[in-house]
Amino acid sequence: MPFFHSARWWAAAALTTSSLIAGEGKWTPQQVLQLDPLMLRKQGLELPVSRLWDPRRGAGLLAATVNIGGCSGGFVSSTGLILTNHHCLFGVVQEHSRPDRDLITAGFVARTREEELPGKTTRVTVPRKFTDVTAEINAAAPAGAGDLDRSKAVDAKQKSLVAACEASAGARCRVAAFDGGLQYVLIESLELSDVRLVYAPPRAVGEFGGEVDNWMWPRHTGDFAMARAYKDGKPYTPGFYFPIARTGVKPGDFVMVLGYPGRTVRSLTAAEMAAQRDFYYTLREQLYGEWIRALEDSTKDNPAAAITVAATLKSLSNVYKNAQGQLAGLARGRIIEKQQAHEESVKTWASPRPEFAKALLAKQDLDARAAARRKTATRDFLLQAVANGPLALKHATQLVRLAAEREKADADRETDYMDREIPRLRARMERDQKSLFQPADQAMFAAWIARALKLAEGERIEAVDRVFGSGDSLKTLAYLYQSTKVTSLAERLKMFDESLAQLRARRDPLLGFAFLLEPELRSFQAAEKTHDGAVARLRPEWRRAVIAHTGKPVAPDANGTLRVSFAQVKGYAPRDGVIYTPQTTLAGMLEKHTGVEPFDLPQAVVDAARTIDAAKVPLNFLADADTTGGNSGSPTVNGRGELVGLNFDRVWENVANDFGYNPAVARNISVDIRFLLWLLKDVEKADNLLRELQPAGK
Ligand code: GLU
């Protein structure tokens, strides 16, 4: 079966209303194939749908749409050149920056292939095949199994499907669950692990406006960069690449955004959404705010340290402002209240229909679980944060877990510690050293401990209490950092290969803390697995009722898999009395340029801009595409499949669209390809790259 053939949750729905398509919906490749071609044509799609995706050959524009380190990107040449966002390749730029060669500030142009800079952990996946495996997964769960057993059985089946899939050369596979288990799809991609930085603009261009303008409109940011994928030491030849549009977009034009949206939560019940608001986003805003201050304060007046923490600080700041936007948008759009009202109407509709009796019970159960989970939600958040917080804590817990998991047979291990993951885990541990500035890391750790020490009775973290609960926690922490060898790269890599007994014998105090924390992390993760098992049983029941009630195609929540969004270039009204037009230009960038960060353009850009009519160089544009995090770097293409821009952000009023789509404010932001061409030509004089970008229609 070359593609997923039964999009069961919506196949029965009629597909004839043209208003269905524009705007809302991150459509899977299979769904796109099932849409009415006439309707797509009316919207502005000039290509046959099979040119978007041909499931038999794994070919089409979607085959040129790659996942690059959790972002999206598109091939733009026959020699593996990939266009994505500056913020997606920022980690590679930071990896290669030093105070005496500060590529973050200066930008980077590889004038020859030899000059390109490898990203140690950067990987690209190219989609090949999608297969519906829902029946196999459901059959794997023993009838009447408890939730934990169900979850384990599903896990085991996924692992065996992935193992069989990865038997083919270069394949990287995953089984993706859609809407909590309504559908499971086995996705096979080609993985390319040799990815090199080719171009990054100076930060003052790639991030113009910084955190002031982030998630905002009007926008003037040149958020693009380029990488090249290699295979067997040679530039990779993609089956497809995007031609660069000769003409740009204008208001009203049809565009498509192709990419890998990461996570949305529209299929959650209102009670589950409220928990996301009250804990996940609220705590994120608080803790990440503290971490940002920790990084800023500890690197003040220290240029080398500022480079070391630059990528971490940038991503924390982005997520922090996103959390603020989610909270503000939920309140402003009354999204949870609307979800609740919608649920009431589904319930009223479903009540007299016996086929949905189970759906109503499932909904009750989901809500009851959401209520119960609130009791430990703060602790759970802190335990989750171990994986993306201070590096010393992350590494120590990973080393202990790795040693424990390695004692098991490969198929019995947690997915993250299976043999296929070990080389990448090791590479990340090595790469992390370039981001480790000990005082900053220690200050982040201190913020985490302070919160853990304030947890309510009933959700205490025992390991924290035992190690930091009495005496001066900051002094204890300082002692841990002074005595541990986990923060030394050479020692850490030795630890990477050690057994539990060897790690214990080291008597390293930070590893000691990790050993104490391990059982609590394990039991939290087991509880999460049990919950996942319950959700996989309940959510599909409820969603079937919601979708049947809706009576039209519903795109599943984002889950990091390839999607298409159909849209139109258009502005919006952010508030009463204000209308935003959908396009900005280089002239606006010059207007914003004050010479003070983050509005401080390089002189070369200012000089080049002053020699032309800057109002004629389009910079950013809006459309009503349905996007989220992970769509960063998504090719934005016109109806002929030609690249007109790259998605890089959403507008402030639209950040909370992760919970629900609101057509009035649903706007994504793309950087216009014409700005990139101007910059490469007039400022960077990067003729080699310009020659490589293929204009459409040649
Ligand atoms: N700027 C966004 C991010 O970094 C891009 C995608 C989005 O969330 O709209 O996550």
Side-chain angles (χ1 to χ4, degrees):
M1 271 175 294
F3 59 96
F4 53 108
H5 52 90
S6 64
R8 294 182 306 142
W9 72 92
W10 69 293
L15 307 176
T16 46
T17 322
S18 67
S19 62
L20 291 179
I21 297 311
E24 180 166 8
K26 301 171 180 73
W27 305 101
T28 66
Q30 173 61 14
Q31 284 183 311
V32 170
L33 295 175
Q34 295 181 2
L35 295 173
D36 177 359
L38 263 181
M39 177 179 45
L40 289 172
R41 181 157 278 278
K42 256 199 213 155
Q43 299 274 327
L45 180 66
E46 295 175 42
L47 302 169
V49 178
S50 60
R51 287 274 299 284
L52 279 181
W53 182 243
D54 176 347
R56 275 167 303 280
R57 295 190 300 133
L61 291 178
L62 290 181
T65 307
V66 300
N67 185 320
I68 174 161
C71 279
S72 306
F75 282 119
V76 285
S77 87
S78 60
T79 39
L81 197 63
I82 294 169
L83 252 179
T84 183
N85 290 148
H86 172 259
H87 77 265
C88 296
L89 292 177
F90 188 79
V92 188
V93 182
Q94 184 263 333
E95 188 179 335
H96 288 277
S97 289
R98 302 183 307 254
D100 60 334
R101 191 179 184 237
D102 181 359
L103 303 180
I104 297 175
T105 306
F108 173 75
V109 189
R111 310 247 169 220
T112 64
R113 298 260 161 90
E114 291 66 42
E115 286 174 18
E116 295 170 3
L117 300 171
K120 190 159 189 53
T121 53
T122 317
R123 288 180 151 83
V124 164
T125 56
V126 188
R128 288 212 284 223
K129 201 179 192 181
F130 301 85
T131 311
D132 186 303
V133 291
T134 313
E136 280 138 286
I137 295 280
N138 285 337
D147 289 328
L148 184 56
D149 286 341
R150 157 182 293 272
S151 182
K152 283 185 175 162
V154 167
D155 225 50
K157 185 69 197 172
Q158 295 192 355
K159 282 179 186 162
S160 76
L161 288 168
V162 165
C165 176
E166 290 187 351
S168 77
R172 177 83 183 166
C173 305
R174 72 175 272 215
V175 174
F178 291 74
D179 282 355
L182 198 51
Q183 190 190 27
Y184 292 91
V185 176
L186 175 65
I187 301 169
E188 180 187 328
S189 307
L190 168 73
E191 182 173 74
L192 301 165
S193 52
D194 182 354
V195 183
R196 307 180 195 172
L197 181 72
V198 174
Y199 174 69
R203 182 177 206 164
V205 172
E207 200 187 280
F208 187 71
E211 284 308 313
V212 179
D213 272 8
N214 195 11
W215 304 105
M216 302 293 228
W217 187 261
R219 193 66 168 276
H220 302 82
T221 308
D223 195 349
F224 50 72
M226 290 183 205
R228 191 185 307 282
Y230 284 78
K231 189 164 187 277
D232 306 323
K234 294 194 202 68
Y236 173 69
T237 310
F240 291 82
Y241 59 86
F242 292 96
I244 307 296
R246 282 177 184 271
T247 51
V249 287
K250 54 182 190 319
D253 278 0
F254 168 81
V255 287
M256 296 177 279
V257 176
L258 319 175
Y260 295 82
R263 176 178 176 263
T264 56
V265 288
R266 292 178 196 170
S267 66
L268 299 192
T269 68
E272 292 173 310
M273 286 183 176
Q276 290 277 309
R277 174 193 60 199
D278 299 342
F279 298 98
Y280 185 73
Y281 286 109
T282 300
L283 292 169
R284 233 184 189 194
E285 193 208 353
Q286 294 171 3
L287 180 64
Y288 283 32
E290 289 163 11
W291 282 352
I292 290 165
R293 273 192 296 284
L295 293 185
E296 285 176 344
D297 292 350
S298 58
T299 57
K300 217 176 259 154
D301 306 320
N302 183 342
I307 287 177
T308 304
V309 305
T312 313
L313 183 57
K314 182 173 166 71
S315 94
L316 286 175
S317 306
N318 186 44
V319 174
Y320 167 75
K321 197 167 173 190
N322 174 286
Q324 291 181 323
Q326 303 276 2
L327 294 170
L330 281 173
R332 179 182 191 269
R334 299 182 54 76
I335 294 174
I336 297 176
E337 292 80 352
K338 283 182 193 156
Q339 181 79 337
Q340 199 153 20
H342 181 229
E343 284 170 6
E344 286 310 315
S345 58
V346 177
K347 272 159 66 179
T348 311
W349 174 86
S351 288
R353 295 175 161 79
E355 68 271 32
F356 293 120
K358 271 170 89 180
L360 296 175
L361 289 174
K363 154 86 166 69
Q364 268 179 21
D365 204 342
L366 285 169
D367 287 349
R369 282 166 195 277
R373 280 160 67 81
R374 294 176 77 96
K375 295 194 189 94
T376 57
T378 309
R379 181 205 64 177
D380 295 350
F381 175 83
L382 288 177
L383 289 178
Q384 259 173 349
V386 167
N388 49 24
L391 291 170
L393 176 62
K394 181 177 91 171
H395 292 153
T397 51
Q398 283 178 335
L399 289 165
V400 168
R401 180 62 61 89
L402 172 64
E405 290 295 300
R406 238 195 325 239
E407 291 184 351
K408 303 178 188 165
D410 193 44
D412 297 336
R413 291 185 208 160
E414 278 171 32
T415 317
D416 290 348
Y417 295 89
M418 291 175 73
D419 283 341
R420 68 201 273 275
E421 295 297 333
I422 305 283
R424 53 189 85 213
L425 183 60
R426 192 187 166 91
R428 279 199 301 273
M429 282 218 184
E430 227 181 308
R431 159 67 184 87
D432 279 348
Q433 201 66 13
K434 294 243 164 120
S435 294
L436 178 63
F437 177 58
Q438 194 161 309
D441 206 62
Q442 192 172 323
M444 283 173 73
F445 202 157
W448 183 85
I449 291 168
R451 287 195 162 264
L453 287 174
K454 280 195 217 116
L455 283 168
E457 223 33 70
E459 53 173 345
R460 306 288 301 178
I461 302 174
E462 220 185 293
V464 174
D465 287 344
R466 277 178 64 184
V467 175
F468 300 101
S470 51
D472 184 337
S473 62
L474 288 181
K475 269 201 186 137
T476 309
L477 184 64
Y479 165 74
L480 252 58
Y481 271 86
Q482 274 153 26
S483 352
T484 188
K485 296 269 187 309
V486 170
T487 49
S488 141
L489 177 59
E491 286 297 319
R492 190 160 71 242
L493 291 181
K494 274 190 216 152
M495 292 175 186
F496 195 88
D497 297 319
E498 287 177 3
S499 66
L500 280 173
Q502 285 171 308
L503 289 181
R504 275 213 186 85
R506 282 179 170 266
R507 302 194 170 281
D508 184 295
L510 183 58
L511 285 178
F513 176 65
F515 272 113
L516 277 180
L517 193 59
E518 170 73 353
E520 285 174 281
L521 282 173
R522 286 248 185 221
S523 78
F524 159 65
Q525 284 152 0
E528 286 298 287
K529 272 211 177 103
T530 308
H531 179 70
D532 292 348
V535 166
R537 178 168 58 78
L538 301 168
R539 177 107 50 229
E541 293 287 355
W542 172 240
R543 289 300 292 169
R544 269 191 278 275
V546 173
I547 291 164
H549 169 260
T550 306
K552 61 177 185 179
V554 177
D557 260 324
N559 58 357
T561 62
L562 183 55
R563 305 294 178 92
V564 180
S565 170
F566 300 100
Q568 225 183 24
V569 176
K570 59 162 109 151
Y572 74 111
R575 55 191 175 274
D576 195 26
V578 179
I579 291 178
Y580 282 156
T581 60
Q583 284 175 295
T584 61
T585 67
L586 178 59
M589 192 183 216
L590 287 179
E591 260 171 39
K592 276 187 183 172
H593 165 67
T594 56
V596 179
E597 269 190 44
F599 300 98
D600 186 16
L601 285 171
Q603 197 53 43
V605 175
V606 177
D607 291 346
R610 292 215 166 116
T611 64
I612 56 163
D613 182 354
K616 292 216 168 99
V617 180
L619 215 178
N620 292 163
F621 64 88
L622 293 175
D624 60 354
D626 192 354
T627 55
T628 188
N631 269 122
S632 291
S634 290
T636 304
V637 300
N638 63 19
R640 292 182 297 283
E642 301 160 357
L643 196 82
V644 290
L646 287 177
N647 177 73
F648 74 96
D649 209 1
R650 275 171 286 165
V651 300
W652 185 247
E653 297 75 14
N654 188 35
V655 174
N657 89 339
D658 289 354
F659 288 83
Y661 184 90
N662 175 0
V665 295
R667 297 295 179 272
N668 69 306
I669 312 177
S670 296
V671 55
D672 197 301
I673 194 70
R674 290 169 289 179
F675 177 72
L676 168 69
L677 297 175
W678 172 77
L679 194 77
L680 289 181
K681 183 166 160 285
D682 282 16
V683 181
E684 307 285 13
K685 321 277 185 220
D687 295 344
N688 57 324
L689 299 179
L690 283 166
R691 268 195 306 275
E692 206 176 332
L693 296 171
Q694 291 297 307
K698 249 177 81 176

